[in-house]
Structure formats: C-alpha cells, structure tokens
Amino acid sequence: MSDEIKTDAVIIGAGPCGLFAIFELGLLDIKCHVIDILDRAGGQCAELYPEKPIYDIPALPIVTGAELTGRLMEQAKPFHPQYHFNQMVTELVKHGDNDFELKTDGGLVFRSKIVVIAAGGGSFQPKKPPIPGIDAYEGTSVFYSIKKMEAFRGRDILIVGGGDSALDWVNNLTPIAGSMTLLHRRDEFRAAPDSVNKMRELVAQGKMQLKLGQVTGLTGEGGNLQSVQVKGNDGAAYEIKANTLLPFFGLTMKLGPVANWGLNLDQNVIPVDTEKFETSTPGIFAIGDINHYPGKLKLILSGFHEAALLAQQAFRYINPGERLLFQYTTSSSSLQKKLGVN
Amino acid sequence: MAKITFILHNGVEQTVDGIPGMSVMEAAVKNMVPGIDADCGGACACATCHVYLQPEWQDKVGKRAAMEEDMLDFAFDVQDSSRLSCQIKISDAINGLRVRVPAKQF
Ligand SMILES: Cc1cc2nc3c(=O)[nH]c(=O)nc-3n(C[C@H](O)[C@H](O)[C@H](O)COP(=O)(O)OP(=O)(O)OC[C@H]3O[C@@H](n4cnc5c(N)ncnc54)[C@H](O)[C@@H]3O)c2cc1C
Ligand code: FES
C-alpha cells in the first residue's frame, strides 16, 4: 500500500465549487488536495459543456465552461493545490477531530483535518448499456473501465463505441489481445483523428476487425461470455465470438460512494446549514450541487458563496479558540502575501 | 401552442402543450414525462433525451445536425428514427408530433 498523504483539507470533486474552495481555504492558510474521477478539472463545466457560454457568473458577462475552469485554476494557483485525477474517493472515515481518512479506488490514502465534499451531481461513471442479461457478466467478461491492461492479454475482445475511450483502448489493447473487434453504429468516429487513423491502419494490417452495427444480446455461461449478438447496419443479424466485452458509451452522473459515508442524505443531496455549510458530521463540509438547504439554487455562483463561508468554519474547527480576522484581499498585506502579489 | 405526444415504453400516451421556441425535451421535462432524463439540460452532451420519431413524422421534423449525430453514439439502440429531443425545436409546423420514448435512458 502507498504511503498516506497528510494534508489540511481534502476536497472531493474538482468542479467549479471545489476549485473555488481551494482559494477561500488558502486565504486562511488551509492547504488542499483535490481528488476527481475525471482526468481533468472542471466537473460538469468540463465534461458536459466545455464550449458552451455561461452568462451568469458575476463580472464575466460571457465565459465558456472550459474558460471558467481555467480561470478558477489560475486563481487557486498561489495556494499550490495538489490534484489527483482519475481517482474516485471510495471511503471516508472520521477517526477523531481533525483526523479524517480517505481512500480512493486507485489505492491512494489521505489523512486530513477537514473534508470538503464538492461532488456536484455525483461521480461521473461509465454508462451501462441496457443489453439484456449484461449484469451477469459484469466484472468477469464485461468491463466499463480498464485499470490494468495486462488483465486483457490473450483475450478475445469486442469493444463497442466510437469515442476517444473506445478508440484509445482498441489501439492500446490490440497488440496484446488474442483477437480484437471494434463495433460501432456508423463508419464515422467522434474520437481524435489520430486514433481513428491508427485504428484503420490496424484494420488494414489485418490485426483487428471493424464491424458496423449494434449489440442486441449476449451468450455465455456462469458469467463467462462466449459470443455477442449483433444487428448489422444492413439489418442482418450475426454473432461475434468474444470472451470480453468493453462498452464505451460515455459517462453519466451517479451519486456513487457519497451515499456510503454515514452522512445524512435527503434525496441524493446532503443537507447543510447555511452558516457553516457543514454536514451532519462536524469537520465534513458540503458545497455546490451536492448540498441542500432552504432556498438552494444549483448555480455556480451559489457554490462560490458557500465556499467562502465554509472556509470560515473550517478555520475555527482546525484552530479552536483562535481569532479569525476579517480581511479584504484589496487592502490586507497578509492576504496579498499569501497570494504572492505583495 | 403545439401538441406533442410521447408514447411511453408501456404504450401509455401522454400529450403535452409545447411552446414554440422550446425544445421537445424541455416540454417533456416540464410536464414530467417519464423516460426523458436530460442530464445535461439540453446541451447535446449526454444523449439521455433519446426518442424515436413515429414514421409519419420522420420527414417533417428535419435532419440531425452533426453534433447530434455524434452524441447519438452514446445512446443505445439507435435507429433511423432516433433523435435527441433537446435538439428538436418546437414550432407550429410540428403540431401533433408523436415520438416514442425508450424504456430506459441509460
Ligand atoms: C448544460 C449545463 C449548463 C449549465 N449552465 C449553468 C449556468 O449557465 N450557470 C450556472 O451557474 N450553472 C450552470 N450549470 C450548473 C453548473 O454546472 C453546476 O451548478 C456546477 O457545475 C456545480 O459545480 P460543483 O463543483 O458543485 O459540481 P460538479 O461540476 O458537478 O463537479 C463535481 C465533481 O466531483 C466529482 N466527484 C463526485 N464524486 C466523487 C468521488 N466520490 N470521488 C472523486 N470525485 C468525485 C465528479 O466527477 C465531478 O467532476 C449548468 C449545468 C449544465 C449541465
Ligand atoms: S438533454 Fe442532454 S443531449 Fe439532450
């Protein structure tokens, strides 16, 4: 097991609200590690609408999801946050005051004084296509994400999809697979042109097959897949022999592990108070789309306000009895020093 | 106003009033039509607002744009009649539209 990472705060979720919490906590000398399942920061802004304009961020009349993310990261930079992407927080346990332990599915372990849950609409997780009987094969023959490539050596693999994940894994796994087939519903791919070209080369070299159509059913025994039924684009039904199926249909937001952390939940959101934005467990805070209180609006600007207030309480929780001075970034030389502008 | 009828997976039909300019997805969500999730709120970024046009409507509604075609890669059981309902704008021209809702957006 890897060594524990010790830090003041762990922020779960690198969406806009989690990113702004780095800044607000930073002003109060609370250092952060930020964990997200996605491979980059921005949460919904990055995953669902990077190119779409947002019109209701105060003082930014128009800004895209990607731009907003970039600016929030820039604003947080003076506080040297450490990001851990492609990691899902699976466990959160309170050992005592100022002592929380978090574990990720990638084997990272954190010990922190406070925890900020900025998990938004939940964790982005791979979509599971509603193929009849697919549940019986999950984890043995059907996988929605790949942690260790070696596990697929020598297997007869069918990958379904036409996006970047599908194409990347086709290209990476073909050299070690027993056989490789890519099934897609049309002969056009939304994936990066480079990966598409590479895939077409592999087809031309006879190292893999490309088929057009859609999965209709699965055949196998005891969780071991033997073949996949397909309806071709010409309407003809046929079978593809495969013992491994990797469907890549994009991501969807599911509440995920947040539900297992012993916090009070109300219809998939975490009730908090509007003074401290604390959950039912002192020291664990919840901001952004994941929380709820009377009058809650699921807007980015609300999350920013919540981040500022949670930071105040986080300071008091970590430093009991210590006086917290209210200061402006415009005029406080100590804040400006922290920001590296003075 | 344009009437839009959603045919649910169990055969039940639900007809709602659509305001011109809104999308078919918005009309569905506003009237709580089951089976339209619309996770991304109409940004053409989730494919959880998938519907099938009834045959008689296929030509009248117009074609999928390139972005919608791409996004349909993330839907299940895509057919010629498949559309993402957030990408269909309501107008008087589609008054009476009938669409089928899949059993499950996934
Ligand atoms: C199409 C669309 C348009 C929108 N337009 C606007 C707008 O104009 N103005 C506005 O104010 N708001 C808008 N919103 C809403 C806005 O995007 C959300 O309010 C905002 O993203 C919430 O931010 P957040 O940081 O709380 O969560 P999110 O952005 O949802 O980020 C949460 C992150 O936490 C991660 N996560 C969750 N659980 C875990 C876990 N266990 N381990 C690790 N990581 C985890 C997720 O992967 C995700 O990346 C829009 C939303 C959509 C979908
Ligand atoms: S609502 Fe997300 S694609 Fe239509």
Side-chain angles (χ1 to χ4, degrees):
Chain A
M1 179 167 303
S2 59
D3 291 334
E4 272 178 10
I5 300 172
K6 286 205 161 51
T7 173
D8 296 335
V10 169
I11 301 177
I12 304 170
C17 304
L19 291 176
F20 195 62
I22 305 170
F23 179 86
E24 289 293 340
L25 290 165
L27 287 178
L28 304 180
D29 295 317
I30 300 169
K31 297 263 173 263
C32 303
H33 282 246
V34 187
I35 309 172
D36 205 299
I37 300 163
L38 296 178
D39 58 3
R40 62 198 181 289
Q44 295 174 44
C45 301
E47 182 60 30
L48 293 177
Y49 59 104
E51 307 303 332
K52 293 243 166 197
I54 310 170
Y55 300 101
D56 59 352
I57 303 297
L60 295 175
I62 175 169
V63 63
T64 65
E67 282 165 359
L68 180 71
T69 303
R71 288 184 175 218
L72 285 166
M73 289 181 81
E74 189 187 328
Q75 198 164 20
K77 215 168 177 179
F79 303 109
H80 308 290
Q82 301 206 34
Y83 297 100
H84 305 269
F85 294 118
N86 299 308
Q87 300 278 336
M88 174 160 78
V89 178
T90 49
E91 287 175 49
L92 165 56
V93 179
K94 180 171 185 168
H95 291 301
D97 281 342
N98 284 302
D99 187 11
F100 293 91
E101 182 176 5
L102 300 96
K103 292 186 178 159
T104 71
D105 60 348
L108 298 182
V109 182
F110 295 83
R111 277 310 254 265
S112 69
K113 296 177 182 167
I114 63 147
V115 174
V116 178
I117 303 178
S123 42
F124 280 103
Q125 294 183 2
K127 282 192 190 174
K128 303 182 175 185
I131 303 167
I134 192 166
D135 300 3
Y137 300 100
E138 285 172 2
T140 46
S141 295
V142 173
F143 303 89
Y144 303 103
S145 65
I146 292 168
K147 295 271 180 227
K148 290 199 183 72
M149 258 173 71
E150 265 316 299
F152 296 92
R153 183 173 290 279
R155 300 188 69 139
D156 297 320
I157 305 175
L158 173 64
I159 291 184
V160 187
D164 283 310
S165 306
L167 275 279
D168 285 351
W169 286 118
V170 162
N171 293 332
N172 290 333
L173 290 174
T174 298
I176 64 167
S179 71
M180 172 67 75
T181 310
L182 172 63
L183 177 71
H184 186 41
R185 72 175 183 91
R186 56 186 181 137
D187 198 15
E188 267 171 77
F189 298 84
R190 45 186 281 139
D194 270 2
S195 344
V196 179
N197 292 340
K198 202 164 160 210
M199 177 274 294
R200 294 212 189 269
E201 231 166 78
L202 290 171
V203 174
Q205 293 164 0
K207 294 190 172 143
M208 60 163 287
Q209 288 197 304
L210 169 63
K211 303 253 188 196
L212 301 183
Q214 300 184 66
V215 176
T216 54
L218 308 174
T219 315
E221 250 184 57
N224 294 314
L225 185 67
Q226 287 155 354
S227 69
V228 176
Q229 282 82 53
V230 173
K231 194 172 92 191
N233 278 7
D234 51 4
Y238 60 96
E239 271 199 344
I240 298 176
K241 288 251 167 294
N243 54 26
T244 305
L245 173 67
L246 308 174
F248 292 109
F249 283 92
L251 303 174
T252 179
M253 280 193 123
K254 291 263 154 55
L255 182 62
V258 175
N260 311 330
W261 298 337
L263 301 167
N264 282 348
L265 281 181
D266 181 15
Q267 296 184 355
N268 285 352
V269 287
I270 304 175
V272 291
D273 65 276
T274 51
E275 180 194 350
K276 311 187 292 273
F277 295 94
E278 207 161 34
T279 66
S280 52
T281 304
I284 304 182
F285 301 85
I287 58 166
D289 280 12
I290 193 80
N291 77 11
H292 189 75
Y293 50 84
K296 167 73 180 180
L297 287 179
K298 285 191 183 184
L299 285 178
I300 296 166
L301 75 89
S302 314
F304 291 170
H305 161 81
E306 295 161 16
L309 290 198
L310 101 79
Q312 300 282 315
Q313 174 62 16
F315 180 90
R316 287 186 222 111
Y317 177 85
I318 296 176
N319 313 289
E322 213 168 295
R323 206 163 86 87
L324 178 55
L325 210 60
F326 177 74
Q327 304 177 88
Y328 292 121
T329 53
T330 330
S331 45
S332 155
S333 55
S334 96
L335 290 187
Q336 289 172 0
K337 207 160 157 199
K338 296 176 195 178
L339 288 164
V341 292
N342 188 346
Chain B
M1 285 293 172
K3 296 265 183 225
I4 298 166
T5 299
F6 296 89
I7 306 163
L8 308 185
H9 67 99
N10 56 7
V12 172
E13 299 194 1
Q14 190 173 343
T15 301
V16 308
D17 285 324
I19 301 164
M22 271 175 38
S23 72
V24 169
M25 177 281 280
E26 286 173 302
V29 170
K30 201 165 151 245
N31 292 284
M32 291 184 286
V33 174
I36 306 277
D37 295 350
D39 284 350
C40 79
C44 199
C46 72
T48 62
C49 62
H50 182 198
V51 297
Y52 303 104
L53 300 173
Q54 287 295 87
E56 68 274 20
W57 283 96
Q58 227 156 301
D59 293 333
K60 293 183 207 154
V61 174
K63 290 225 168 344
R64 308 165 184 160
M67 180 171 68
E68 182 181 350
E69 190 68 64
D70 276 353
M71 207 57 222
L72 276 169
D73 285 353
F74 288 166
F76 187 71
D77 192 14
V78 177
Q79 301 171 10
D80 287 344
S81 60
S82 288
R83 290 295 308 263
L84 294 176
S85 56
C86 68
Q87 301 303 306
I88 308 175
K89 252 222 169 90
I90 297 173
S91 69
D92 293 335
I94 62 164
N95 185 20
L97 176 68
R98 291 168 63 79
V99 302
R100 209 156 49 73
V101 181
K104 194 167 167 247
Q105 307 281 347
F106 73 109

